[in-house]
Amino acid sequence: MVTNAREVRLGDVQLAIAEAGIGGRPVMLVHGFTGAKEDFTDFLEPLAERGWHAVAPDLRGHGASDHPGDEESYSLAIMAADLLALADALGWGSFVLLGHSMGGMIAQQLLLAHPERVRALVLMDTTHGPIDWVEPDTRELAAAVVREQGIPALMEALKLLRDEDPLMTPAFLRLLHDKPGYSEFCDAKLLASAPAMWLAMSNAMLTQPDRLDRLEYVDVPTLVIVGEQDIPFVAHGERMAKMIPGARLAIIPDAGHSPQFENTTAWWEALSSFLEDVE
């Protein structure tokens, strides 16, 4: 199997995608805030070998996709519409949808608006409502840096605040220390993020409505994954798994916010065993 990269024009925006297994059963893997398709490209060919047409897009404002310059071009709903348009362009009717972090919020938005399009759902290190561990004043200080000095200045400021960031888990710090190139990989994803996207979506994640009660009506096979060290997200994951009828919960040991990198073996076992049961 070969992973291909290409661009797909969707109305007013062009998305870059990576894919493998064309013609197989459709599964889309959606990265989080300031992430990229490369968060999942290592897993596209293994999925293709199991019969899946696996696609990982760069969301608008991320990676190699278009970067609209106005904040009004970004919202959870707009990004969900992009994913539906991408599925249409791929010729997919219903598909399995995996969303990581902000991608999981987008996935919930898509499913709740268009339940007929989602065949099965994987929610990974995400929330059912507003991010509740970032103070609005802290976000406003970061936003001022982005507006006045840009994303590179934000990256340097965030490095100075690592000791206060709950996402700087032991598992993540271990990867920074032990995996050659991982720090540069993380920096490159942030630097490839559009300032307007950062401003719009950092606010959207703080102010989004809570979807927990609506998740009671989800009627597709669902897997909720969360790293055991990803403390801000564990409680959200547990509540979602309890609320969604029949949902599985996989808490990945020795992992934080990106368990696909921090404990690949356990993450892959949870995902692949779930997908084996999706008809």
Side-chain angles (χ1 to χ4, degrees), residues 19 25 35 62 66 68 72 93 147 154 178 199 226-227 242 247 264:
E19 63 182 335
R25 294 172 292 163
H62 294 78
D66 283 350
E72 291 72 23
R147 290 191 181 97
L154 174 69
D178 294 345
L199 292 166
V226 63
K242 183 177 180 180
T264 301

Side-chain angles (χ1 to χ4, degrees), residues 5-45:
R6 61 186 175 105
E7 288 73 44
V8 180
R9 170 60 60 181
L10 307 172
D12 64 346
V13 69
Q14 182 168 279
L15 298 189
I17 71 168
E19 63 182 335
I22 294 172
R25 294 172 292 163
V27 57
M28 189 181 299
L29 302 97
V30 183
H31 66 77
F33 182 57
T34 72
K37 61 184 179 298
E38 286 76 17
D39 287 335
F40 294 107
T41 49
D42 288 350
F43 309 102
L44 300 183
E45 290 181 26

Side-chain angles (χ1 to χ4, degrees), residues 140-214:
E140 286 307 311
L141 286 172
V145 171
V146 172
R147 290 191 181 97
E148 296 169 13
Q149 302 176 59
I151 296 293
L154 174 69
M155 184 178 74
E156 295 307 315
L158 292 175
K159 288 181 179 179
L160 296 175
L161 298 173
R162 274 185 174 170
D163 290 345
E164 303 174 22
D165 187 345
L167 300 187
M168 296 293 137
T169 61
F172 177 76
L173 295 173
R174 183 189 69 243
L175 272 187
L176 290 181
H177 183 267
D178 294 345
K179 186 174 182 178
Y182 191 71
S183 179
E184 292 80 4
F185 169 68
C186 294
D187 288 351
K189 290 187 294 180
L190 177 56
L191 291 172
S193 301
M197 183 284 301
W198 193 97
L199 292 166
M201 299 311 297
S202 62
N203 183 63
M205 289 187 292
L206 284 173
T207 59
Q208 63 186 306
D210 197 312
R211 296 171 294 270
L212 185 61
D213 288 348
R214 297 179 65 196

